[in-house]
Amino acid sequence: QEERASNAREEADNATALADRYSENAEEEREAAEMRATASQKAKATLNRLENEMSRLEECLENAEKQREEAAHEAEISEKHLEKVKQQFDEVTATLAAQLKSEE
């Protein structure tokens, strides 16, 4: 009977050691799951931040493109105006030169 009791104690000790190992493994897995969940939340937050930044940059790019188009249009108008002024200047110069020649 003493041997049976000893065997029973040994089996109980082995079962307790096994339960402790399972408990430790379960705790490690729980901690790992928490770390994965935290990493996932951080990744989602980073993704949201990057998507928001991308949207903001796309909006800035659209605004810059509109401003570039407006500036190109204004430059075209200014160039046409400059050409008209040059043409008028040339006409006035030619008229003055003709007047000067006729007065000589």
XYZ file of all heavy atoms in Angstrom:
824
model
N 0.820 -1.207 0.000
C 0.000 0.000 0.000
C 0.853 1.255 0.000
O 0.490 2.257 -0.609
C -0.901 -0.006 1.236
C -2.291 -0.394 0.885
C -3.207 -0.204 2.082
O -2.767 -0.105 3.207
N -4.478 -0.170 1.813
N 1.961 1.153 0.706
C 2.860 2.287 0.764
C 3.403 2.600 -0.642
O 3.536 3.753 -1.029
C 4.016 1.971 1.725
C 4.786 3.188 2.115
C 5.831 2.847 3.168
O 5.483 2.377 4.254
O 6.998 3.084 2.832
N 3.659 1.520 -1.396
C 4.161 1.700 -2.754
C 3.088 2.334 -3.632
O 3.370 3.216 -4.444
C 4.578 0.351 -3.345
C 5.273 0.489 -4.664
C 5.729 -0.870 -5.201
O 6.129 -1.731 -4.421
O 5.661 -1.005 -6.430
N 1.854 1.917 -3.441
C 0.751 2.501 -4.202
C 0.600 3.976 -3.866
O 0.380 4.817 -4.749
C -0.560 1.774 -3.892
C -0.664 0.461 -4.564
C -2.031 -0.104 -4.302
N -2.088 -1.491 -4.707
C -3.001 -2.325 -4.367
N -3.978 -1.937 -3.574
N -2.987 -3.571 -4.788
N 0.727 4.293 -2.597
C 0.620 5.684 -2.165
C 1.764 6.491 -2.769
O 1.584 7.627 -3.230
C 0.623 5.787 -0.650
N 2.953 5.895 -2.763
C 4.114 6.572 -3.324
C 3.914 6.795 -4.825
O 4.215 7.864 -5.360
C 5.373 5.737 -3.059
O 6.478 6.321 -3.692
N 3.421 5.765 -5.501
C 3.142 5.880 -6.942
C 2.072 6.940 -7.203
O 2.165 7.714 -8.153
C 2.710 4.539 -7.527
C 3.871 3.563 -7.656
O 5.029 3.971 -7.639
N 3.571 2.278 -7.784
N 1.066 6.947 -6.349
C -0.011 7.931 -6.506
C 0.524 9.336 -6.310
O 0.157 10.264 -7.043
C -1.141 7.637 -5.522
N 1.403 9.509 -5.278
C 2.010 10.829 -5.055
C 2.859 11.238 -6.248
O 2.833 12.384 -6.699
C 2.851 10.819 -3.778
C 2.060 11.063 -2.515
C 2.980 11.376 -1.331
N 3.790 10.237 -0.913
C 3.380 9.286 -0.082
N 2.173 9.333 0.431
N 4.174 8.297 0.245
N 3.618 10.266 -6.770
C 4.478 10.556 -7.922
C 3.624 10.938 -9.137
O 3.934 11.896 -9.846
C 5.340 9.328 -8.256
C 6.385 9.614 -9.305
C 7.279 8.397 -9.548
O 7.538 7.624 -8.631
O 7.714 8.274 -10.710
N 2.548 10.214 -9.361
C 1.648 10.547 -10.466
C 1.008 11.917 -10.252
O 0.868 12.706 -11.200
C 0.571 9.476 -10.619
C 1.076 8.201 -11.246
C -0.022 7.158 -11.402
O -1.213 7.557 -11.467
O 0.312 5.979 -11.461
N 0.668 12.195 -8.995
C 0.086 13.508 -8.685
C 1.112 14.604 -8.916
O 0.794 15.663 -9.480
C -0.424 13.539 -7.245
N 2.362 14.355 -8.506
C 3.434 15.338 -8.738
C 3.658 15.542 -10.242
O 3.820 16.677 -10.705
C 4.738 14.878 -8.073
C 4.704 14.985 -6.555
O 3.794 15.681 -6.036
O 5.579 14.387 -5.894
N 3.680 14.439 -10.982
C 3.862 14.540 -12.439
C 2.701 15.305 -13.075
O 2.908 16.139 -13.960
C 3.979 13.149 -13.068
C 5.307 12.483 -12.741
O 6.267 13.154 -12.367
N 5.361 11.167 -12.870
N 1.493 15.016 -12.622
C 0.319 15.705 -13.158
C 0.377 17.193 -12.816
O 0.047 18.041 -13.653
C -0.957 15.074 -12.618
N 0.823 17.501 -11.587
C 0.946 18.903 -11.179
C 2.010 19.613 -12.022
O 1.793 20.740 -12.489
C 1.315 18.993 -9.682
O 0.286 18.360 -8.925
C 1.458 20.425 -9.228
N 3.147 18.943 -12.242
C 4.217 19.531 -13.060
C 3.724 19.754 -14.489
O 3.974 20.806 -15.098
C 5.452 18.636 -13.047
N 2.992 18.782 -15.024
C 2.444 18.904 -16.367
C 1.427 20.046 -16.433
O 1.440 20.853 -17.369
C 1.789 17.578 -16.783
C 1.324 17.473 -18.223
C 2.489 17.665 -19.189
C 0.642 16.137 -18.454
N 0.577 20.137 -15.423
C -0.409 21.228 -15.364
C 0.295 22.577 -15.276
O -0.136 23.543 -15.913
C -1.342 21.019 -14.175
N 1.382 22.626 -14.492
C 2.150 23.879 -14.392
C 2.741 24.262 -15.751
O 2.693 25.440 -16.146
C 3.282 23.738 -13.364
C 2.774 23.740 -11.926
O 1.595 24.121 -11.715
O 3.547 23.353 -11.026
N 3.286 23.268 -16.469
C 3.839 23.556 -17.798
C 2.745 24.037 -18.751
O 2.938 24.996 -19.493
C 4.532 22.320 -18.375
C 5.949 22.153 -17.847
C 6.646 21.076 -18.612
N 5.882 19.838 -18.411
C 6.390 18.649 -18.186
N 7.669 18.487 -18.156
N 5.626 17.599 -17.999
N 1.604 23.368 -18.722
C 0.486 23.807 -19.568
C 0.036 25.210 -19.197
O -0.266 26.032 -20.052
C -0.698 22.839 -19.461
C -0.516 21.528 -20.186
C -1.114 20.372 -19.716
C 0.258 21.440 -21.335
C -0.970 19.164 -20.380
C 0.425 20.228 -22.002
C -0.194 19.095 -21.511
O -0.044 17.912 -22.169
N 0.022 25.482 -17.903
C -0.366 26.806 -17.423
C 0.622 27.864 -17.903
O 0.231 28.939 -18.361
C -0.448 26.800 -15.904
O -0.772 28.072 -15.428
N 1.926 27.545 -17.810
C 2.946 28.471 -18.289
C 2.811 28.692 -19.797
O 2.893 29.830 -20.279
C 4.349 27.929 -17.964
C 4.718 28.007 -16.508
C 6.034 27.298 -16.201
O 6.760 26.927 -17.152
O 6.335 27.121 -15.010
N 2.601 27.596 -20.530
C 2.420 27.714 -21.981
C 1.187 28.548 -22.294
O 1.221 29.389 -23.203
C 2.289 26.342 -22.639
C 3.604 25.592 -22.682
O 4.664 26.185 -22.516
N 3.540 24.292 -22.901
N 0.123 28.323 -21.563
C -1.110 29.090 -21.798
C -0.872 30.575 -21.513
O -1.339 31.438 -22.259
C -2.244 28.547 -20.928
N -0.130 30.869 -20.452
C 0.185 32.262 -20.113
C 1.047 32.897 -21.197
O 0.808 34.024 -21.616
C 0.899 32.319 -18.755
C 1.300 33.703 -18.307
C 0.118 34.609 -18.017
O -0.997 34.124 -17.794
O 0.319 35.846 -18.044
N 2.043 32.156 -21.676
C 2.896 32.669 -22.747
C 2.085 32.918 -24.017
O 2.268 33.928 -24.698
C 4.040 31.690 -23.038
C 5.094 31.647 -21.940
C 6.110 30.529 -22.138
O 5.998 29.777 -23.142
O 7.009 30.393 -21.299
N 1.187 31.993 -24.326
C 0.350 32.159 -25.513
C -0.609 33.336 -25.345
O -0.872 34.071 -26.301
C -0.404 30.868 -25.829
C 0.521 29.798 -26.385
C -0.222 28.576 -26.877
O -1.416 28.700 -27.208
O 0.401 27.517 -26.939
N -1.130 33.528 -24.135
C -2.007 34.668 -23.884
C -1.230 35.971 -24.074
O -1.699 36.910 -24.722
C -2.591 34.600 -22.466
C -3.603 35.710 -22.168
C -3.974 35.772 -20.700
N -2.869 36.098 -19.829
C -2.337 37.318 -19.702
N -2.796 38.331 -20.395
N -1.331 37.529 -18.874
N -0.010 36.038 -23.533
C 0.820 37.224 -23.691
C 1.163 37.464 -25.164
O 1.131 38.603 -25.643
C 2.106 37.088 -22.864
C 1.879 37.188 -21.365
C 3.132 36.882 -20.551
O 4.191 36.592 -21.156
O 3.044 36.934 -19.311
N 1.470 36.378 -25.872
C 1.772 36.504 -27.299
C 0.541 37.009 -28.054
O 0.659 37.859 -28.943
C 2.238 35.167 -27.868
N -0.633 36.508 -27.706
C -1.868 36.961 -28.358
C -2.115 38.438 -28.068
O -2.522 39.193 -28.959
C -3.051 36.118 -27.878
N -1.838 38.856 -26.846
C -1.986 40.272 -26.498
C -1.005 41.131 -27.309
O -1.363 42.209 -27.795
C -1.760 40.488 -25.001
C -2.902 40.007 -24.129
C -2.610 40.181 -22.641
O -1.523 40.663 -22.273
O -3.499 39.820 -21.835
N 0.232 40.645 -27.449
C 1.218 41.392 -28.232
C 0.797 41.468 -29.699
O 0.945 42.511 -30.346
C 2.609 40.762 -28.103
C 3.246 41.002 -26.732
S 5.003 40.561 -26.655
C 4.937 38.794 -26.712
N 0.261 40.361 -30.232
C -0.208 40.379 -31.624
C -1.367 41.354 -31.780
O -1.434 42.098 -32.759
C -0.638 38.977 -32.064
C 0.524 38.054 -32.368
C 0.078 36.776 -33.047
N -0.834 35.977 -32.250
C -0.480 35.046 -31.368
N 0.800 34.799 -31.162
N -1.388 34.369 -30.699
N -2.275 41.354 -30.801
C -3.416 42.278 -30.869
C -2.939 43.727 -30.806
O -3.415 44.585 -31.563
C -4.395 41.984 -29.726
N -1.980 44.006 -29.932
C -1.430 45.363 -29.821
C -0.735 45.758 -31.121
O -0.931 46.870 -31.624
C -0.430 45.436 -28.645
O -1.126 45.114 -27.435
C 0.179 46.814 -28.522
N 0.058 44.839 -31.671
C 0.749 45.122 -32.937
C -0.264 45.365 -34.055
O -0.081 46.262 -34.879
C 1.679 43.968 -33.302
N -1.324 44.590 -34.064
C -2.363 44.761 -35.085
C -3.041 46.115 -34.949
O -3.272 46.807 -35.950
C -3.397 43.636 -34.955
O -4.437 43.812 -35.881
N -3.340 46.510 -33.720
C -3.963 47.824 -33.491
C -3.027 48.953 -33.934
O -3.460 49.919 -34.573
C -4.320 48.002 -32.014
C -5.488 47.148 -31.569
C -5.695 47.195 -30.063
O -4.852 47.690 -29.323
N -6.815 46.668 -29.611
N -1.745 48.813 -33.608
C -0.777 49.834 -34.013
C -0.663 49.885 -35.536
O -0.575 50.966 -36.117
C 0.596 49.560 -33.388
C 0.655 49.866 -31.910
C 2.038 49.591 -31.345
C 2.085 49.906 -29.858
N 3.409 49.652 -29.277
N -0.654 48.721 -36.170
C -0.568 48.679 -37.634
C -1.799 49.343 -38.255
O -1.676 50.098 -39.219
C -0.436 47.232 -38.111
N -2.979 49.072 -37.692
C -4.203 49.693 -38.216
C -4.161 51.207 -38.036
O -4.537 51.952 -38.936
C -5.439 49.115 -37.525
C -5.789 47.721 -37.978
C -6.989 47.171 -37.218
C -7.262 45.735 -37.607
N -8.356 45.151 -36.821
N -3.690 51.650 -36.879
C -3.585 53.095 -36.626
C -2.595 53.733 -37.599
O -2.856 54.807 -38.151
C -3.161 53.352 -35.178
N -1.476 53.063 -37.827
C -0.479 53.578 -38.768
C -1.061 53.619 -40.175
O -0.877 54.601 -40.907
C 0.793 52.700 -38.745
O 1.349 52.738 -37.424
C 1.830 53.184 -39.735
N -1.766 52.566 -40.556
C -2.392 52.525 -41.873
C -3.401 53.662 -42.034
O -3.403 54.353 -43.054
C -3.076 51.173 -42.096
C -3.772 50.986 -43.434
C -2.776 51.121 -44.587
C -4.469 49.647 -43.482
N -4.223 53.876 -41.014
C -5.194 54.980 -41.071
C -4.486 56.321 -41.198
O -4.899 57.174 -41.987
C -6.091 54.976 -39.831
C -7.101 53.857 -39.856
O -7.437 53.325 -40.903
N -7.596 53.487 -38.683
N -3.424 56.498 -40.431
C -2.673 57.757 -40.479
C -2.072 57.960 -41.871
O -2.156 59.043 -42.446
C -1.579 57.757 -39.411
C -0.784 59.049 -39.329
C 0.279 59.011 -38.245
N 1.164 57.879 -38.304
C 2.183 57.753 -39.149
N 2.429 58.686 -40.026
N 2.960 56.687 -39.108
N -1.504 56.894 -42.430
C -0.897 56.993 -43.750
C -1.952 57.238 -44.831
O -1.711 58.013 -45.767
C -0.100 55.727 -44.071
C 1.171 55.534 -43.236
C 1.797 54.174 -43.533
C 2.168 56.644 -43.490
N -3.119 56.604 -44.694
C -4.190 56.839 -45.659
C -4.671 58.291 -45.585
O -4.923 58.920 -46.619
C -5.355 55.875 -45.419
C -5.058 54.452 -45.870
C -6.151 53.470 -45.500
O -6.993 53.785 -44.622
O -6.165 52.371 -46.084
N -4.798 58.810 -44.376
C -5.191 60.215 -44.216
C -4.144 61.152 -44.810
O -4.480 62.133 -45.479
C -5.423 60.549 -42.740
C -6.651 59.882 -42.180
O -7.563 59.506 -42.915
N -6.697 59.725 -40.867
N -2.880 60.850 -44.561
C -1.789 61.665 -45.104
C -1.798 61.593 -46.629
O -1.600 62.599 -47.310
C -0.447 61.177 -44.547
C 0.744 61.972 -45.000
C 0.796 63.388 -44.454
O 0.031 63.723 -43.535
O 1.609 64.165 -44.969
N -2.043 60.393 -47.167
C -2.090 60.226 -48.622
C -3.240 61.048 -49.208
O -3.056 61.729 -50.224
C -2.297 58.751 -48.966
C -2.341 58.493 -50.430
S -0.755 57.943 -50.959
C -1.222 56.530 -51.877
N -4.384 61.029 -48.560
C -5.520 61.824 -49.038
C -5.183 63.307 -49.013
O -5.495 64.044 -49.955
C -6.761 61.563 -48.174
O -7.202 60.253 -48.335
N -4.539 63.747 -47.932
C -4.158 65.152 -47.814
C -3.165 65.533 -48.911
O -3.293 66.581 -49.551
C -3.557 65.419 -46.431
C -3.329 66.903 -46.133
C -2.583 67.115 -44.828
N -1.218 66.655 -44.893
C -0.225 67.293 -45.509
N -0.448 68.416 -46.142
N 1.005 66.810 -45.496
N -2.201 64.657 -49.171
C -1.207 64.936 -50.204
C -1.843 64.941 -51.599
O -1.480 65.765 -52.448
C -0.073 63.908 -50.147
C 0.846 64.024 -48.930
C 1.835 62.866 -48.894
C 1.581 65.352 -48.919
N -2.809 64.037 -51.824
C -3.507 64.035 -53.116
C -4.281 65.337 -53.299
O -4.305 65.901 -54.395
C -4.448 62.832 -53.205
C -3.723 61.513 -53.425
C -4.628 60.303 -53.315
O -5.773 60.435 -52.835
O -4.183 59.211 -53.719
N -4.899 65.808 -52.224
C -5.629 67.081 -52.291
C -4.662 68.232 -52.578
O -4.947 69.101 -53.407
C -6.365 67.318 -50.970
C -7.260 68.535 -50.977
C -8.018 68.698 -49.671
O -8.368 67.683 -49.036
O -8.254 69.855 -49.290
N -3.509 68.222 -51.915
C -2.490 69.254 -52.165
C -2.022 69.195 -53.614
O -1.839 70.236 -54.260
C -1.289 69.071 -51.232
S -1.606 69.525 -49.524
N -1.837 67.990 -54.118
C -1.398 67.827 -55.505
C -2.449 68.369 -56.469
O -2.108 69.066 -57.438
C -1.118 66.353 -55.793
C -0.592 66.014 -57.183
C 0.729 66.720 -57.448
C -0.429 64.514 -57.325
N -3.717 68.081 -56.197
C -4.798 68.597 -57.043
C -4.809 70.126 -57.015
O -4.945 70.766 -58.068
C -6.149 68.056 -56.576
C -6.374 66.597 -56.899
C -7.663 66.051 -56.308
O -8.543 66.849 -55.901
O -7.800 64.814 -56.256
N -4.663 70.701 -55.820
C -4.635 72.167 -55.695
C -3.434 72.753 -56.441
O -3.558 73.775 -57.121
C -4.606 72.590 -54.228
C -5.927 72.354 -53.535
O -6.970 72.289 -54.170
N -5.893 72.207 -52.228
N -2.285 72.109 -56.305
C -1.080 72.592 -56.993
C -1.278 72.522 -58.509
O -0.871 73.434 -59.237
C 0.135 71.770 -56.571
N -1.911 71.466 -58.987
C -2.159 71.325 -60.429
C -3.108 72.425 -60.911
O -2.884 73.024 -61.966
C -2.751 69.939 -60.727
C -3.036 69.687 -62.189
C -1.812 69.714 -63.080
O -0.690 69.498 -62.594
O -1.987 69.972 -64.287
N -4.147 72.705 -60.123
C -5.068 73.794 -60.487
C -4.330 75.130 -60.528
O -4.514 75.920 -61.455
C -6.226 73.874 -59.493
C -7.241 72.775 -59.649
C -8.337 72.889 -58.603
C -9.283 71.713 -58.667
N -10.282 71.739 -57.591
N -3.493 75.393 -59.536
C -2.731 76.638 -59.503
C -1.758 76.723 -60.679
O -1.573 77.784 -61.268
C -1.976 76.764 -58.175
C -2.893 77.006 -57.002
C -2.159 77.014 -55.673
O -0.961 76.773 -55.612
N -2.890 77.292 -54.600
N -1.157 75.583 -61.038
C -0.245 75.564 -62.181
C -1.004 75.897 -63.465
O -0.542 76.695 -64.287
C 0.428 74.199 -62.319
C 1.502 74.169 -63.414
C 1.844 72.753 -63.856
N 0.724 72.051 -64.444
C 0.272 72.218 -65.697
N 0.837 73.101 -66.491
N -0.736 71.502 -66.156
N -2.189 75.294 -63.612
C -2.997 75.575 -64.800
C -3.407 77.046 -64.852
O -3.351 77.676 -65.917
C -4.234 74.681 -64.823
C -3.931 73.223 -65.126
C -5.139 72.317 -64.963
O -6.252 72.814 -64.649
O -4.976 71.093 -65.144
N -3.809 77.597 -63.700
C -4.183 79.015 -63.643
C -2.989 79.904 -63.973
O -3.120 80.892 -64.716
C -4.743 79.362 -62.261
C -6.099 78.755 -61.988
C -6.566 78.935 -60.548
O -5.863 79.603 -59.759
O -7.630 78.395 -60.219
N -1.820 79.569 -63.438
C -0.614 80.360 -63.704
C -0.240 80.269 -65.182
O 0.152 81.274 -65.793
C 0.542 79.874 -62.831
N -0.382 79.087 -65.784
C -0.072 78.934 -67.205
C -1.041 79.763 -68.041
O -0.632 80.409 -69.021
C -0.143 77.459 -67.601
N -2.304 79.774 -67.640
C -3.303 80.577 -68.358
C -2.980 82.067 -68.236
O -3.030 82.810 -69.222
C -4.702 80.268 -67.816
C -5.795 81.001 -68.497
N -6.158 80.769 -69.798
C -6.610 82.003 -68.056
C -7.140 81.581 -70.134
N -7.438 82.340 -69.095
N -2.654 82.498 -67.023
C -2.277 83.905 -66.806
C -1.027 84.263 -67.609
O -0.945 85.350 -68.185
C -2.036 84.175 -65.313
C -3.291 84.138 -64.463
C -4.268 85.251 -64.802
O -3.826 86.380 -65.096
O -5.487 84.987 -64.781
N -0.075 83.354 -67.665
C 1.150 83.605 -68.435
C 0.821 83.736 -69.921
O 1.370 84.599 -70.614
C 2.156 82.476 -68.201
N -0.094 82.908 -70.393
C -0.496 82.977 -71.802
C -1.171 84.316 -72.107
O -0.866 84.955 -73.117
C -1.451 81.822 -72.118
C -1.854 81.721 -73.567
C -2.791 80.557 -73.819
O -2.782 79.584 -73.031
O -3.536 80.631 -74.803
N -2.044 84.736 -71.189
C -2.715 86.037 -71.360
C -1.680 87.166 -71.347
O -1.719 88.066 -72.188
C -3.783 86.245 -70.267
C -4.951 85.288 -70.492
C -4.253 87.691 -70.225
C -5.956 85.264 -69.354
N -0.739 87.099 -70.401
C 0.305 88.128 -70.309
C 1.161 88.144 -71.558
O 1.538 89.214 -72.057
C 1.189 87.876 -69.082
O 0.438 88.036 -67.902
N 1.482 86.976 -72.084
C 2.303 86.899 -73.291
C 1.566 87.528 -74.479
O 2.162 88.271 -75.263
C 2.637 85.429 -73.581
C 3.733 85.247 -74.600
C 4.137 83.787 -74.717
O 4.400 83.148 -73.689
O 4.187 83.306 -75.861
N 0.280 87.226 -74.600
C -0.518 87.815 -75.684
C -0.574 89.339 -75.538
O -0.452 90.074 -76.527
C -1.925 87.226 -75.711
C -1.968 85.802 -76.225
C -3.379 85.239 -76.204
C -3.390 83.801 -76.686
N -4.725 83.206 -76.614
N -0.759 89.792 -74.304
C -0.800 91.236 -74.048
C 0.544 91.865 -74.406
O 0.600 92.936 -75.026
C -1.171 91.509 -72.591
C -1.253 92.960 -72.252
N -2.232 93.784 -72.750
C -0.450 93.745 -71.482
C -2.038 95.007 -72.299
N -0.953 95.007 -71.531
N 1.619 91.205 -74.012
C 2.958 91.709 -74.321
C 3.154 91.792 -75.838
O 3.710 92.782 -76.338
C 4.026 90.819 -73.686
C 5.480 91.198 -73.952
C 5.786 92.592 -73.406
C 6.419 90.175 -73.361
N 2.714 90.796 -76.557
C 2.831 90.816 -78.019
C 2.065 91.996 -78.609
O 2.556 92.672 -79.520
C 2.327 89.496 -78.617
C 3.272 88.331 -78.431
C 4.624 88.552 -79.067
O 4.685 89.057 -80.213
O 5.633 88.233 -78.414
N 0.863 92.250 -78.073
C 0.070 93.388 -78.557
C 0.789 94.707 -78.281
O 0.848 95.591 -79.136
C -1.316 93.408 -77.906
C -2.253 92.369 -78.449
C -3.608 92.462 -77.757
C -4.533 91.369 -78.237
N -5.831 91.396 -77.552
N 1.344 94.829 -77.063
C 2.059 96.052 -76.693
C 3.283 96.237 -77.591
O 3.566 97.345 -78.066
C 2.456 96.035 -75.198
C 3.419 97.155 -74.864
C 1.205 96.111 -74.325
N 4.011 95.146 -77.846
C 5.177 95.223 -78.740
C 4.746 95.666 -80.140
O 5.400 96.494 -80.776
C 5.879 93.864 -78.826
C 6.755 93.537 -77.657
C 7.423 92.179 -77.892
C 8.288 91.787 -76.718
N 8.901 90.455 -76.921
N 3.649 95.058 -80.611
C 3.153 95.410 -81.946
C 2.768 96.893 -81.999
O 3.121 97.595 -82.937
C 1.953 94.534 -82.306
C 1.437 94.750 -83.706
C 0.240 93.856 -84.012
O -0.205 93.093 -83.171
N -0.266 93.968 -85.234
N 2.079 97.370 -80.945
C 1.703 98.778 -80.890
C 2.935 99.671 -80.839
O 3.006 100.707 -81.493
C 0.795 99.054 -79.683
C -0.590 98.457 -79.813
C -1.388 98.568 -78.518
O -0.852 98.915 -77.467
N -2.685 98.266 -78.605
N 3.936 99.245 -80.049
C 5.185 99.996 -79.952
C 5.857 100.085 -81.322
O 6.312 101.157 -81.746
C 6.113 99.346 -78.917
C 7.438 100.034 -78.788
C 7.556 101.207 -78.055
C 8.573 99.519 -79.411
C 8.778 101.849 -77.946
C 9.783 100.161 -79.294
C 9.896 101.331 -78.562
N 5.909 98.926 -81.998
C 6.531 98.910 -83.334
C 5.768 99.814 -84.300
O 6.379 100.530 -85.103
C 6.584 97.482 -83.882
C 7.590 96.613 -83.123
O 8.445 97.174 -82.397
O 7.508 95.367 -83.260
N 4.431 99.799 -84.210
C 3.621 100.649 -85.095
C 3.863 102.129 -84.805
O 4.018 102.932 -85.718
C 2.131 100.315 -84.947
C 1.748 98.964 -85.530
C 0.327 98.559 -85.195
O -0.411 99.324 -84.511
O -0.068 97.447 -85.604
N 3.885 102.467 -83.505
C 4.124 103.863 -83.118
C 5.523 104.283 -83.559
O 5.728 105.382 -84.096
C 3.927 104.061 -81.603
C 4.453 105.412 -81.152
C 2.461 103.899 -81.245
N 6.510 103.414 -83.351
C 7.886 103.713 -83.758
C 7.970 103.918 -85.268
O 8.614 104.857 -85.749
C 8.825 102.572 -83.313
O 8.705 102.411 -81.915
C 10.262 102.864 -83.661
N 7.301 103.036 -85.999
C 7.320 103.150 -87.461
C 6.634 104.446 -87.891
O 7.120 105.149 -88.796
C 6.632 101.942 -88.085
N 5.519 104.782 -87.248
C 4.802 106.023 -87.575
C 5.677 107.224 -87.277
O 5.787 108.163 -88.097
C 3.478 106.107 -86.790
O 2.680 104.962 -87.089
C 2.720 107.361 -87.119
N 6.323 107.240 -86.112
C 7.204 108.358 -85.749
C 8.381 108.459 -86.712
O 8.769 109.552 -87.120
C 7.701 108.214 -84.318
C 6.666 108.459 -83.212
C 7.270 108.156 -81.854
C 6.165 109.896 -83.266
N 8.935 107.325 -87.086
C 10.061 107.331 -88.016
C 9.622 107.890 -89.364
O 10.347 108.674 -89.998
C 10.622 105.920 -88.170
N 8.420 107.496 -89.789
C 7.896 108.005 -91.074
C 7.651 109.500 -90.986
O 7.951 110.236 -91.929
C 6.600 107.256 -91.424
N 7.145 109.958 -89.861
C 6.895 111.407 -89.678
C 8.204 112.175 -89.698
O 8.300 113.254 -90.289
C 6.125 111.663 -88.380
C 4.677 111.304 -88.434
C 3.974 111.528 -87.089
O 4.617 111.850 -86.093
N 2.664 111.345 -87.088
N 9.199 111.643 -89.031
C 10.508 112.296 -88.989
C 11.116 112.382 -90.390
O 11.702 113.390 -90.766
C 11.468 111.574 -88.037
C 11.220 111.790 -86.540
C 12.136 110.904 -85.726
C 11.426 113.238 -86.165
N 10.963 111.316 -91.167
C 11.507 111.302 -92.528
C 10.784 112.319 -93.404
O 11.399 112.994 -94.212
C 11.347 109.902 -93.123
C 12.582 109.100 -93.066
C 12.420 107.858 -93.916
C 13.711 107.089 -93.871
N 13.660 105.889 -94.655
N 9.476 112.392 -93.191
C 8.703 113.317 -94.039
C 9.002 114.769 -93.661
O 8.884 115.654 -94.473
C 7.205 113.035 -93.950
O 6.738 113.368 -92.654
N 9.415 115.004 -92.433
C 9.727 116.366 -92.002
C 11.124 116.789 -92.468
O 11.443 117.967 -92.484
C 9.628 116.476 -90.469
C 8.200 116.373 -89.964
C 8.114 116.413 -88.447
O 9.149 116.572 -87.767
O 6.999 116.265 -87.935
N 11.950 115.841 -92.819
C 13.315 116.179 -93.233
C 13.353 116.807 -94.546
O 12.971 117.055 -95.469
C 14.197 114.925 -93.255
C 14.504 114.419 -91.880
C 15.317 113.132 -91.926
O 15.549 112.555 -92.999
O 15.738 112.696 -90.858
